[in-house]
Amino acid sequence: MFSSQTNSMLAAKVIILLVVITGVYIILLISRPVIHENSTMLVAPKSRNVREEQIRLFALNEIVKANSHVSPQYKMVNCVVQKSMSTMMTGAMCYLYNETQYEQSGRNFDDEFSGRFCKDTNEFKSVTGVREAFNISYVKTDWSFSMVTRDPIDRFVSGFVDRCVRLQQRNGTTQCNGCGLNMTCFIETEYKHLMEISFKRKTHRTMEDAHFFPQVWHCDLNEEVEFFEFIQYSSNADDNLMPQFDDLLQRQKVPRRSRDFIRNQLVYQKSSHSTTGTPAKRFYYSRQVLKKNQGFDCVFQIDEVTVPIGVYCQDVLLRFPSVSL
Ligand SMILES: *[C@@H]1O[C@H](CO)[C@@H](O)[C@H](O)[C@H]1NC(C)=O
Ligand SMILES: *[C@@H]1O[C@H](CO)[C@@H](O)[C@H](O)[C@H]1NC(C)=O
Ligand SMILES: *[C@@H]1O[C@H](CO)[C@@H](O)[C@H](O)[C@H]1NC(C)=O
Ligand SMILES: *[C@@H]1O[C@H](CO)[C@@H](O)[C@H](O)[C@H]1NC(C)=O
């Protein structure tokens, strides 16, 4: 009897130990950074030859070398990408470039939309350029490289509403690949266009491209991705974006006062051209079925029409908690 009790106690201990080990393993699995060596495998599609297209895309170098904004004082580089808080991040980086000057100007971050205060002062066309200018090593460095990333479908819809719907309403003309308000048509033509660019059959860029290029096409990410920290976009900055950004700012030793200024701007001075909650956007979300594909096929499903968007698959590399694109 005594030994059976010991046995059952032993068994209980073993079970507890197993549970703990499993728990730790699961936690490790969950918290493990999404960007790791094999992450390209995650987006391997089942059909078409999108996989090959993706590799081709990721091998690209010259596509978008735009908009790295730098704050040398705090050793920060931020890759500003359209439709991912670009105006607000432009403002934040300009502010951090010289807080006194920015505050004296009496500007709000939102003002950067119509004219950038730091134009040509803290802006670089490539991360390589920044590295050269500030002699930033690839090995160990106290510089921070960051980028706000947004759910690719969310970003696409926002871009479409911005470029194709609102512009149309405002001045009666849009380029939008001649598709008018037909989103299916636009996705198909833009996808084709992006593929042509990636295969270098076409170098012509349209007004839309900067908004619709996948996020991974920006800021030399094909080479620099491992050095970057990705901050998740949230339409309400206080939800997700600001806590992460504030943590980064603290690490870069940005003083409390400056962090408060930034938070105030990001949270309370909502960007005036933001599409969140606009009637146009609600319309598109309600009418169109935007399906996040579960099987890594990388398609948009709109009103029963399936449109391949392999070109956006790679954005999954940028770590979106809720996206299973
Ligand atoms: C920031 O701007 C102020 C006001 O224009 C100027 O006096 C100061 O030297 C600038 N600081 C730096 C570090 O450039
Ligand atoms: C650049 O940094 C490296 C160390 O990271 C240093 O050895 C080198 O002298 C620096 N070059 C310049 C021009 O400052
Ligand atoms: C309409 O918007 C486009 C794109 O911003 C602009 O280039 C064009 O000048 C605008 N047209 C009018 C009539 O405002
Ligand atoms: C929208 O575009 C798609 C693809 O080009 C086409 O098949 C469809 O008929 C268009 N829908 C309308 C309402 O024009």
Side-chain angles (χ1 to χ4, degrees):
M1 187 184 157
F2 182 70
S3 83
S4 93
Q5 203 175 12
T6 319
N7 276 346
S8 63
M9 271 172 71
L10 191 68
K13 277 181 186 169
V14 167
I15 288 168
I16 288 169
L17 195 68
L18 281 176
V19 167
V20 168
I21 289 171
T22 316
V24 168
Y25 183 66
I26 288 170
I27 287 166
L28 283 178
L29 211 67
I30 290 170
S31 63
R32 182 176 60 169
V34 173
I35 296 158
H36 51 94
E37 279 174 10
N38 289 331
S39 49
T40 36
M41 301 308 291
L42 268 180
V43 294
K46 284 185 291 195
S47 55
R48 302 178 72 246
N49 203 5
V50 186
R51 169 96 184 118
E52 194 178 287
E53 289 169 2
Q54 287 164 35
I55 290 167
R56 163 68 68 123
L57 296 177
F58 215 55
L60 276 177
N61 198 8
E62 302 295 324
I63 284 287
V64 187
K65 290 192 161 188
N67 298 342
S68 294
H69 294 219
V70 176
S71 165
Q73 190 188 351
Y74 300 117
K75 301 196 170 181
M76 285 174 60
V77 182
N78 186 270
C79 176
V80 176
V81 175
Q82 286 86 350
K83 305 312 306 166
S84 299
M85 297 284 276
S86 51
T87 303
M88 295 317 236
M89 293 314 284
T90 299
M93 293 307 287
C94 181
Y95 170 71
L96 289 172
Y97 187 72
N98 186 331
E99 291 113 314
T100 321
Q101 200 162 33
Y102 201 90
E103 283 181 42
Q104 280 172 0
S105 77
R107 295 169 69 92
N108 285 318
F109 290 178
D110 193 27
D111 298 333
E112 306 301 328
F113 185 65
S114 37
R116 304 193 304 282
F117 191 52
C118 287
K119 189 170 189 291
D120 299 331
T121 56
N122 75 337
E123 301 176 352
F124 285 79
K125 283 197 169 21
S126 73
V127 174
T128 313
V130 180
R131 286 190 182 277
E132 280 166 11
F134 297 99
N135 191 25
I136 306 171
S137 144
Y138 282 96
V139 191
K140 199 170 155 33
T141 169
D142 46 2
W143 280 77
S144 143
F145 296 83
S146 62
M147 172 174 163
V148 174
T149 53
R150 184 169 183 178
D151 173 323
I153 293 179
D154 198 28
R155 176 169 173 264
F156 183 91
V157 173
S158 173
F160 183 79
V161 169
D162 225 25
R163 302 294 316 170
C164 306
V165 181
R166 294 174 127 195
L167 218 58
Q168 164 103 311
Q169 284 171 350
R170 210 173 300 146
N171 73 14
T173 57
T174 85
Q175 300 190 341
C176 290
N177 305 344
C179 287
L181 297 181
N182 186 334
M183 201 175 182
T184 311
C185 166
F186 180 72
I187 292 176
E188 284 177 352
T189 50
E190 189 62 16
Y191 175 77
K192 219 177 279 174
H193 178 65
L194 293 177
M195 291 319 299
E196 281 168 355
I197 287 177
S198 84
F199 284 94
K200 300 217 161 85
R201 281 185 205 125
K202 210 180 213 177
T203 48
H204 171 72
R205 308 282 159 82
T206 69
M207 280 288 284
E208 277 70 47
D209 287 343
H211 291 80
F212 296 107
F213 275 160
Q215 294 164 82
V216 286
W217 282 19
H218 295 260
C219 293
D220 309 334
L221 275 191
N222 60 332
E223 290 169 349
E224 297 279 353
V225 71
E226 62 185 292
F227 303 103
F228 265 78
E229 174 171 351
F230 298 102
I231 300 169
Q232 284 147 20
Y233 171 96
S234 53
S235 54
N236 178 359
D238 227 3
D239 286 347
N240 220 333
L241 183 137
M242 199 54 224
Q244 296 171 70
F245 191 43
D246 194 58
D247 182 64
L248 189 160
L249 293 171
Q250 281 189 51
R251 274 182 274 131
Q252 296 309 115
K253 305 194 171 53
V254 176
R256 178 68 191 254
R257 198 181 157 278
S258 300
R259 287 191 280 120
D260 285 346
F261 185 91
I262 291 173
R263 178 166 180 274
N264 183 54
Q265 290 284 329
L266 260 53
V267 175
Y268 301 110
Q269 315 282 334
K270 202 173 154 76
S271 176
S272 58
H273 57 283
S274 156
T275 48
T276 310
T278 59
K281 189 164 180 185
R282 281 200 299 273
F283 167 75
Y284 270 95
Y285 269 118
S286 64
R287 209 199 56 152
Q288 320 262 358
V289 186
L290 289 163
K291 191 172 173 188
K292 293 172 186 182
N293 192 274
Q294 304 294 319
F296 305 137
D297 264 340
C298 292
V299 294
F300 268 177
Q301 190 108 26
I302 302 170
D303 288 348
E304 308 298 315
V305 181
T306 301
V307 186
I309 51 152
V311 73
Y312 289 107
C313 288
Q314 294 183 335
D315 274 355
V316 177
L317 294 174
L318 303 178
R319 189 208 257 279
F320 301 99
S322 61
V323 177
S324 52
L325 183 76

